Amino acid sequence: MTTPSNDELIEAAQSVLHPHTVGDRLFGDVASTLVTDAGNLYSGVCIDTGSGTGFCAEHAAIAAMVTAREYRIVKVVAVWRNEEGALHVLPPCGRCREFIRQIDPANLDTEVVLGRHVSAGLRELLPAHEWPSPLGEELSGQGLDV
C-alpha cells in the first residue's frame, strides 16, 4: 500500500469541504480525510450545534471508517477555509486526539498532517497518554513527578 502524500490527503479533505448554514448553525466548514492500514480513504465534516451535541470532522471520518469495520488510522488531516478563501490545515483538538487513540491502540502511531510538508505522530501530540500508575510508584522515563 502506498500512503497518500500530505498534498493528496489535503486535496481529498478539501473536496468535501462545503460549508452550509442553517439558522445560526454551521455545518461542514471543517473537513477531514483519513487513510487506513488497508489503504482506504474516509472523509467527514464537522457539525456545529448550539447545544454542544455536534462533532468534529475527524469524528465523522472515523465513524465512516468504523462503519466499514476498519479501525487502524495510518494518516489523518483536517482542513478549513477562512473568509478570504485561504485553506488551512488544522491540528486535531484534544477530544479528537483522544478519540483517535481510543479507536485502536495502534493509532498512537497515526501520522497527523499539520501542513504540506509537516506531520507529527499522534503519540507526540498526545503526551501522558498511558493510564497512570498508582500514587507512590515511580513513573520512570516519563519525566513526571509523583
Side-chain angles (χ1 to χ4, degrees):
M1 175 197 79
T2 302
T3 303
S5 70
N6 288 8
D7 279 337
E8 291 168 331
L9 213 57
I10 290 167
E11 179 58 37
Q14 180 180 294
S15 74
V16 297
L17 188 62
H18 303 290
H20 178 71
T21 303
V22 176
D24 63 348
R25 298 177 317 249
L26 181 59
F27 305 137
D29 71 319
V30 176
S32 177
T33 298
L34 61 84
V35 62
T36 67
D37 61 348
N40 296 313
L41 297 179
Y42 296 95
S43 296
V45 298
C46 70
I47 296 180
D48 296 323
T49 63
S51 64
T53 58
F55 48 84
C56 297
E58 294 92 336
H59 286 188
I62 290 167
M65 175 190 72
V66 170
T67 299
R69 298 185 306 187
E70 291 193 70
Y71 306 93
R72 176 66 181 93
I73 303 167
V74 172
K75 195 172 190 178
V76 63
V77 69
V79 298
W80 168 76
R81 190 175 300 284
N82 69 15
E83 296 79 22
E84 291 78 36
L87 188 67
H88 297 261
V89 171
L90 302 178
C93 71
R95 182 174 176 232
C96 287
R97 294 173 195 198
E98 181 62 22
F99 190 63
I100 292 166
R101 181 190 76 82
Q102 288 191 24
I103 295 299
D104 188 296
N107 287 341
L108 276 170
D109 297 319
T110 296
E111 180 182 350
V112 179
V113 176
L114 301 172
R116 291 194 184 283
H117 307 289
V118 182
S119 295
L122 181 65
R123 185 180 309 273
E124 297 170 66
L125 300 177
L126 192 61
H129 56 270
E130 297 292 332
W131 191 255
S133 298
L135 288 176
E137 290 186 16
E138 193 67 34
L139 294 176
S140 62
Q142 294 188 19
L144 301 175
D145 293 329
V146 191

